[in-house]
Structure formats: structure tokens, C-alpha cells
């Protein structure tokens, strides 16, 4: 299957999201190449072109352009339920992320104060800068955690070498003490089965350390980077959600394929 094309604009959608309804996406990454600190085997944008935690000599979209395009949507009659930082890679790699969040919140408060702001992050950039004050401005910060051990983490997310799972967990623990965070986890079948008993047990242990406010689980339902990645069936996904909530005592929501 062919992966989806990259987003070609700084603002895209609104797209129909299983979790967020109609989501107006903010793409802070280049529009011609995927820039990310991970190269996840299930990414529906395919392989990462530039894998880095320290982007240099990369032409990111100008802050003024992003704000101008977003203001147009906010003033229009376009319906959407969330404004979401996502796009062609990891949003927190954007050099002016702190500034742009403040400015976007001002625009949101001015034109559509009831629309929440969400963040979809792979959790890597927080090992160096937890950005807690900035994250407090985001209504729904969602962080990725797909594995409970370093080996599985490397197999699924294929991070840059300087990113370690233990550091991510420690950073998430600190953030979760300050704000309510959501953990998102993709459960995979095929060559790698991170929903299997032992793999999930190790993941449980990390969740108990982090103590998020909410857990979201789902499986792949679009073309992905690797052919041997398979989705979980609906019954298994729902069963795992019940098991996770029972064992962690944290509300867990399963999002089924479209």
C-alpha cells in the first residue's frame, strides 16, 4: 500500500478524526519532506526523510504565515471541533513553538474561544525541554507511548540514537504532575505484537509511573511505512481497552478503524 502524501500547507483540513471529530490541522513542518525524530513503522506518511532531534538548515514555515492562515480559518464559516498541532512530523521540533502556541491561543480566544487546542506529539523533544508553561496553554496534550521496553521502542518507533525510552518516561512523569496529559498507544499485529501479554505488562509498568489522565488506544487502518504491520481486530482492541482500564485504573478509550 502507498503511504499518504504529505500535507502541502501549514493549515489543512478540517479532517475527520476518530478522536477529535473535525480537526483543523496545523503543520509546522516543511511541506516537501517529513522531518521527525522517529521513523515509526506504522506512520501513514511513510518513511522519515530527515530524522533528527536537532533540526538545522531546515526551512520551517514562517510563524507569521501560520498565524495568517489560521486567522483566515478562524474568521471563516468553516466548522471544526479542534485546532490540532500535527502535520508532517513532530510539532515540537518547530524552533518557535513556544511563541506560536501563545499567538495561536490569542487568536483562538479572540475568534473562537470554545474551540480547544490539541497537540499530537511523539514525546521525544520533551527529554530536553519539557515546555511545561507552553503545554499549559494547550487544552489537550497527547503524547505517544507505544512500547514498554527499549528494544520494542526501537523496533516500532525507530528513534534517533539520542532518544531513550527511559528519558521519555521520566519527562512524561514530570509533565503529568503539572498538567493533565493523554497517552496514545498504537497496538500492532504482525511481526511486532506490542499487545501480547509480556509486552503489555512492561507497558503497564510505565503507565503506572507516568500516571496520565487518559489513555487512547487504536490500531492501524491506513497505508503505513512497513508492509508487515497489521491491524488488531475490533474485538481484540476493545478487550485490550477493558484490560488496560481494569489494571491501570485509568480511563481508556479504544478507537476502532473507520
Amino acid at each position: 500500500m502507498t503511504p499518504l502524501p504529505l500535507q502541502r500547507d501549514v493549515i489543512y483540513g478540517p479532517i475527520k478524526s476518530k478522536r477529535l471529530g473535525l480537526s483543523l490541522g496545523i503543520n509546522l513542518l516543511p511541506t516537501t519532506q517529513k522531518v521527525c525524530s522517529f521513523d515509526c513503522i506504522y506512520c501513514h506518511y511513510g518513511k522519515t526523510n530527515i530524522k533528527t532531534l536537532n533540526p538545522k538548515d531546515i526551512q520551517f514555515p514562517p510563524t507569521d504565515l501560520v498565524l495568517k492562515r489560521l486567522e483566515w480559518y478562524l474568521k471563516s464559516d468553516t466548522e471544526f471541533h479542534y485546532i490540532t498541532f500535527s502535520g508532517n512530523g513532530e510539532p515540537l521540533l518547530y524552533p518557535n513553538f513556544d511563541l506560536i502556541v501563545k499567538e495561536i491561543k490569542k487568536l483562538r480566544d479572540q475568534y473562537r474561544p470554545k474551540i480547544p487546542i490539541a497537540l499530537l506529539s511523539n514525546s521525544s523533544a520533551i527529554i530536553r525541554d519539557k515546555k511545561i508553561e507552553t503545554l499549559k496553554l494547550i487544552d489537550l496534550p497527547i503524547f505517544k507511548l507505544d512500547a514498554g521496553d527499549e528494544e520494542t521502542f526501537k523496533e516500532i518507533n525507530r528513534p534517533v540514537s539520542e532518544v531513550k525510552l527511559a528519558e521519555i518516561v521520566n519527562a512524561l512523569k514530570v509533565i503529568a504532575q503539572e498538567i493533565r496529559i493523554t497517552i496514545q498507544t498504537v497496538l500492532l499485529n504482525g511481526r511486532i505484537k506490542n499487545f501480547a501479554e509480556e509486552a503489555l505488562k512492561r507497558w503497564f509498568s510505565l503507565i503506572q509511573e507516568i500516571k496520565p489522565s487518559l489513555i487512547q488506544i487504536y490500531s492501524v487502518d491506513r497505508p503505513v511505512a512497513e508492509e508487515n504491520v497489521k491491524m488488531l481486530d475490533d474485538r481484540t482492541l476493545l478487550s485490550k481497552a477493558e484490560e488496560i482500564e481494569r489494571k491501570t485504573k485509568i480511563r481508556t478509550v479504544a478507537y476502532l478503524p473507520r
Side-chain angles (χ1 to χ4, degrees), residues 38 42 121-123 142-149 153 157 165 168-169 172 182-187 194 202-208 210 212 215-217:
F38 285 4
Y42 62 79
S121 170
N122 69 16
S123 309
I142 302 175
F143 293 98
K144 181 197 301 288
L145 184 72
D146 293 329
D149 62 88
F153 169 59
N157 300 126
L165 180 62
I168 285 177
V169 172
L172 288 172
T182 295
I183 291 294
Q184 66 169 15
T185 299
V186 176
L187 296 183
N194 64 337
R202 293 188 290 269
W203 179 86
F204 281 143
S205 177
L206 300 187
I207 289 293
Q208 297 287 29
I210 297 167
I215 299 169
Q216 297 176 337
I217 65 170

Side-chain angles (χ1 to χ4, degrees), residues 4 20 29 47 54 80 92-93 95 122 126 152 166 201 215 239 243 248:
L4 298 180
L20 304 176
L29 288 306
K47 294 185 179 298
N54 300 289
F80 48 90
L92 291 178
L93 295 180
N122 69 16
I126 59 172
T152 307
K201 186 184 295 185
I215 299 169
S239 173
E243 179 185 358
T248 65

Side-chain angles (χ1 to χ4, degrees), residues 88-223:
N88 300 332
E90 170 53 37
L92 291 178
L93 295 180
Y94 190 68
N96 295 324
F97 187 76
D98 295 333
L99 171 63
I100 205 165
V101 169
K102 292 177 184 177
E103 294 304 316
I104 284 175
K105 185 177 185 300
K106 288 179 184 178
L107 288 174
R108 187 280 308 268
D109 291 347
Q110 179 179 356
Y111 294 109
R112 300 204 195 186
K114 295 183 179 180
I115 298 293
I117 300 171
L119 165 69
L120 302 181
S121 170
N122 69 16
S123 309
S124 63
I126 59 172
I127 66 176
R128 295 190 175 175
D129 182 358
K130 296 174 182 61
K131 297 185 178 294
I132 290 176
E133 293 307 311
T134 297
L135 293 173
K136 286 179 179 179
L137 303 178
I138 296 173
D139 302 290
L140 183 60
I142 302 175
F143 293 98
K144 181 197 301 288
L145 184 72
D146 293 329
D149 62 88
E150 187 71 22
E151 181 180 355
T152 307
F153 169 59
K154 288 181 177 179
E155 286 189 306
I156 294 177
N157 300 126
R158 299 189 295 200
V160 292
S161 60
E162 60 263 45
V163 175
K164 308 299 181 186
L165 180 62
E167 292 181 282
I168 285 177
V169 172
N170 287 335
L172 288 172
K173 285 165 59 177
V174 172
I175 293 172
Q177 291 172 0
E178 297 286 335
I179 61 174
R180 294 172 63 86
I181 68 170
T182 295
I183 291 294
Q184 66 169 15
T185 299
V186 176
L187 296 183
L188 304 173
N189 206 343
R191 181 176 65 83
I192 300 174
K193 298 179 174 63
N194 64 337
F195 70 95
E197 183 176 355
E198 288 303 315
L200 207 55
K201 186 184 295 185
R202 293 188 290 269
W203 179 86
F204 281 143
S205 177
L206 300 187
I207 289 293
Q208 297 287 29
E209 288 187 50
I210 297 167
K211 296 181 175 60
S213 300
L214 176 67
I215 299 169
Q216 297 176 337
I217 65 170
Y218 55 101
S219 195
V220 294
D221 63 350
R222 296 175 177 175

Side-chain angles (χ1 to χ4, degrees), residues 50-65:
I50 300 177
K51 188 164 72 170
T52 181
L53 191 62
N54 300 289
K56 297 178 181 178
D57 301 321
I58 294 174
Q59 189 172 357
F60 288 94
T63 300
D64 289 348
L65 173 64

